[in-house]
Amino acid sequence: MRPEQIQDRRRGSVLSDLLDPHTYRAALYIFLALPMGAFTAGLITGGVLGGLLTLAVLVGAAFLLGALWLVGGLGDVQRALAGVLGVTFAPPPLPPAYRGTLAWLRGTLADPLTYRTLLFHVVQLPLAVVCWVVLAALITASLLGLLSPLWALYPALFPVVWGEQTLLPSPLAVAGLVALGLGGLLISAGVLNLMGRMWTRLAVALLSRDPGYEAARREVVALRRAAGRVALGDDLDATLADLTEQARAASTALSVALTAPDGTLRALSGPQGAGLSGPLDRLPSQGEADVRLVQGGGALATLPVTLPVSAGALEGGTLRALYPAGVRPGADELAFLLSIADHAGTAQHAAQLIERAGARAGEQERARLARELHDSVAQALYGISLGAKTARATLDRDPERTRASLDYTIRLADGGVSEMKALLFSLRPDALEEGGLVAALSQHAHALEARHGLKVHARLDHEPSLTPDTQAAAYRVAQEALHNVVKHARAQNVWLAVSQDGPAVTVSIRDDGRGFDPKAAGRGTLGQRSMRERAAGAGGTLEVRSAAGEGTTVTLRLPAQPVVSRPAESEVGA
């Protein structure tokens, strides 16, 4: 990890502090900090003094334990109050099992967070008093300057006596006082903004839970979940959205976004903020984090999403993390975010590979269809053209031959129509979605009889109970087996059967072709492997039995879909 570059972009016009919402959040926090500090100091001091004064009796120990518990309990209240400043803290770890008062006491006294929280309670009240005094002085001076025109208009209501003389402001003095009042407001806004950043840093430094172990544990869990999500590779948009969720949950960032190379937002976790989308003036280099201050005192970390060299393009966009005012990401957190960015690059590369594989499969399917069209429909169209020309040539002198040529042309046209229907059906078997497995196999059997002259003996009585995915697997396996019969078996008859026996569904394809030796290398290896993979993917098994001269039998066994029993009407009514 290279040292991050920090650039200040917060400075704007002279009214930037006055118009900054963080200024007013800081004012609200300082307004609440004084009573909260007095309340906290009173409770803890009262508990400690009460415990020391009554230590001679058993009640004193209970007071001291209660004061120690208040340190942690009021610390949670302080963390919630710090939310006014936009500070978010990591969720607390799961509490350990209760093992008694002594075990709790040892664990609390050994936890550094206890002493850091106690220190925050101690400094909160005097620091809040100082803030109140400074702001009260600034605001009072600003109001006096802004109200100076009333002094000039109604001097009797605002008498200012110096010795024995009553002072009256001149118009020039009134203008100067009003200018001083406006300047005092601007200074008050700047001081408020500065105080807000001071309180933010103090809260983050003293109230943050263990930044070492807990942060590392959250990062490890987030990276493990991110790796699992990327390994699924099912939906790129969902994967990127999940990666941003994991990055925000395991870091101190307020929002995390993933953008495309042109700055377009692809995924966002958390509220939208400045800089989370849009083009950048400079893209960070590989392995580099660019951290810049933004308006309001927050920080924006930008990290590159890089792709492997084999992807053809190294730029995969950026990961951007927006931090609240006063919070800066450390080197460890930037390294974690860089790992998430690498996971995003891996997910994009995987999506590219899947798209390429789909395109390659589509090219192979188009090549197969081209061969089928050339071997069937194209030949039929050529025969139709030849028969029509022959009929035209013999129309006047040989009517019988013309009639024979027309009959031949009609048969070729019918065959071409059957061929085209079969090819269209192989592309999109609507019957599988509309009528189920039995209807789809029935249509495919009719297409085989029309195209290749096979006699298909189908025993398709009842629709089996299968899930849609299992139906598709069964249909594709049967389609491949029947294709092998046409291509290799030289069979005259094919027996196709679908049956269900309890929790098992069996699809059987048997032919009377020449058969083959299943153990011989290079015979049907690719087709069998494809069918076995489909069967295994659906949770079933595939068995191929064959011998030379004895035909081939392909048996597919699949698990049936469990039948959900519906309650009887009496039970529903009850």
Side-chain angles (χ1 to χ4, degrees):
M1 175 65 63
R2 301 179 184 177
E4 57 271 16
Q5 300 177 356
I6 299 181
Q7 302 180 11
D8 193 348
R9 290 187 171 182
R10 187 182 58 82
R11 293 299 177 188
S13 64
V14 294
L15 299 177
S16 59
D17 288 329
L18 194 61
L19 300 177
D20 190 356
H22 184 262
T23 302
Y24 302 97
R25 292 200 299 265
L28 177 59
Y29 181 84
I30 293 172
F31 177 77
L32 298 174
L34 183 60
M36 183 64 193
F39 176 73
T40 302
L43 279 181
I44 296 178
T45 304
V48 172
L49 291 178
L52 293 176
L53 293 177
T54 58
L55 193 58
V57 294
L58 296 178
V59 180
F63 273 106
L64 291 177
L65 290 176
L68 184 60
W69 179 84
L70 281 175
V71 171
L74 292 174
D76 292 334
V77 179
Q78 298 282 14
R79 293 182 188 91
L81 184 62
V84 175
L85 296 171
V87 180
T88 56
F89 296 92
L94 294 176
Y98 180 72
R99 300 181 183 276
T101 304
L102 291 179
W104 171 82
L105 180 61
R106 285 195 299 269
T108 303
L109 293 177
D111 189 359
L113 180 61
T114 302
Y115 304 99
R116 288 191 280 113
T117 306
L118 180 60
L119 180 59
F120 185 88
H121 294 326
V122 170
V123 302
Q124 184 184 35
L125 181 59
L127 191 58
V129 171
V130 172
C131 291
W132 271 55
V133 171
V134 172
L135 289 175
L138 288 173
I139 294 174
T140 301
S142 301
L143 289 177
L144 289 177
L146 294 175
L147 294 176
S148 58
L150 296 178
W151 178 25
L153 294 175
Y154 307 101
L157 297 178
F158 304 96
V160 178
V161 180
W162 181 266
E164 296 181 355
Q165 296 180 352
T166 301
L167 300 180
L168 295 176
S170 64
L172 184 60
V174 170
L177 290 174
V178 171
L180 289 176
L182 293 175
L185 281 181
L186 295 178
I187 294 175
S188 300
V191 171
L192 266 174
N193 214 322
L194 179 63
M195 289 180 177
R197 293 198 296 273
M198 176 194 67
W199 280 105
T200 298
R201 292 178 182 271
L202 186 65
V204 171
L206 298 181
L207 296 179
S208 295
R209 296 178 175 87
D210 183 7
Y213 171 76
E214 285 301 323
R217 182 188 62 82
R218 291 193 305 271
E219 291 174 0
V220 168
V221 171
L223 288 175
R224 184 180 62 192
R225 292 178 178 175
R229 181 71 194 191
V230 172
L232 289 177
D234 50 354
D235 186 350
L236 179 59
D237 292 335
T239 299
L240 296 181
D242 190 68
L243 288 178
T244 57
E245 287 287 344
Q246 298 299 332
R248 188 174 73 92
S251 66
T252 57
L254 185 64
S255 301
V256 176
L258 282 167
T259 65
D262 59 353
T264 305
L265 190 64
R266 302 194 65 174
L268 173 66
S269 175
Q272 175 69 276
L276 288 177
S277 61
L280 298 173
D281 55 358
R282 188 186 74 88
L283 292 176
S285 302
Q286 186 175 359
E288 177 186 1
D290 184 18
V291 182
R292 305 183 181 187
L293 298 180
V294 295
Q295 187 175 4
L300 177 68
T302 305
L303 303 99
V305 176
T306 55
L307 301 178
V309 180
S310 59
L314 295 180
E315 292 185 5
T318 58
L319 183 145
R320 307 182 190 184
L322 181 64
Y323 291 85
V327 180
R328 301 290 181 268
D332 293 339
E333 183 161 315
L334 291 175
F336 161 71
L337 293 177
L338 188 60
S339 299
I340 294 292
D342 290 340
H343 279 79
T346 303
Q348 294 184 37
H349 185 47
Q352 290 181 0
L353 294 178
I354 293 174
E355 184 177 358
R356 291 177 187 175
R360 179 61 178 168
E363 292 176 359
Q364 294 177 350
E365 183 65 15
R366 286 193 294 270
R368 184 188 69 82
L369 289 175
R371 290 193 300 268
E372 293 283 348
L373 288 171
H374 178 269
D375 295 340
S376 57
V377 180
Q379 296 294 335
L381 292 176
Y382 176 75
I384 291 172
S385 175
L386 183 60
K389 291 179 180 178
T390 302
R392 184 180 60 184
T394 59
L395 179 61
D396 296 332
R397 64 176 183 271
D398 195 349
E400 291 298 330
R401 188 176 178 183
T402 300
R403 186 179 295 106
S405 296
L406 290 176
D407 292 340
Y408 171 74
T409 302
I410 292 172
R411 288 197 300 271
L412 285 178
D414 292 340
V417 171
S418 299
E419 293 280 359
M420 185 59 69
K421 287 182 178 180
L423 288 173
L424 293 175
F425 181 80
S426 66
L427 283 175
R428 189 173 183 268
D430 292 330
L432 187 62
E433 299 178 1
E434 299 172 358
L437 180 62
V438 168
L441 290 179
S442 298
Q443 288 193 14
H444 194 66
H446 292 316
L448 282 178
E449 289 183 334
R451 292 178 64 188
H452 305 288
L454 280 174
K455 181 62 177 178
V456 180
H457 307 274
R459 186 163 56 86
L460 308 171
D461 300 329
H462 303 287
E463 180 68 28
S465 178
L466 295 173
T467 63
D469 292 340
T470 311
Q471 273 188 353
Y475 175 76
R476 293 303 180 188
V477 170
Q479 183 185 37
E480 180 67 25
L482 292 172
H483 176 72
N484 289 338
V485 171
V486 173
K487 189 175 181 181
H488 304 292
R490 298 180 184 175
Q492 299 296 324
N493 296 276
V494 177
W495 289 265
L496 174 63
V498 176
S499 61
Q500 180 173 353
D501 184 10
V505 175
T506 302
V507 179
S508 175
I509 302 96
R510 181 172 63 88
D511 65 77
D512 59 354
R514 58 180 179 173
F516 66 96
D517 184 4
K519 298 181 181 180
R523 298 301 305 272
T525 304
L526 181 60
Q528 290 187 38
R529 183 167 66 246
S530 173
M531 291 189 292
R532 293 185 191 278
E533 289 175 354
R534 290 186 184 274
T541 60
L542 184 76
E543 180 185 2
V544 179
R545 292 185 292 107
S546 182
E550 297 182 6
T552 303
T553 302
V554 177
T555 305
L556 172 66
R557 295 182 178 86
L558 295 169
Q561 183 181 17
V563 179
V564 180
S565 60
R566 297 183 179 180
E569 293 183 1
S570 60
E571 295 178 354
V572 174

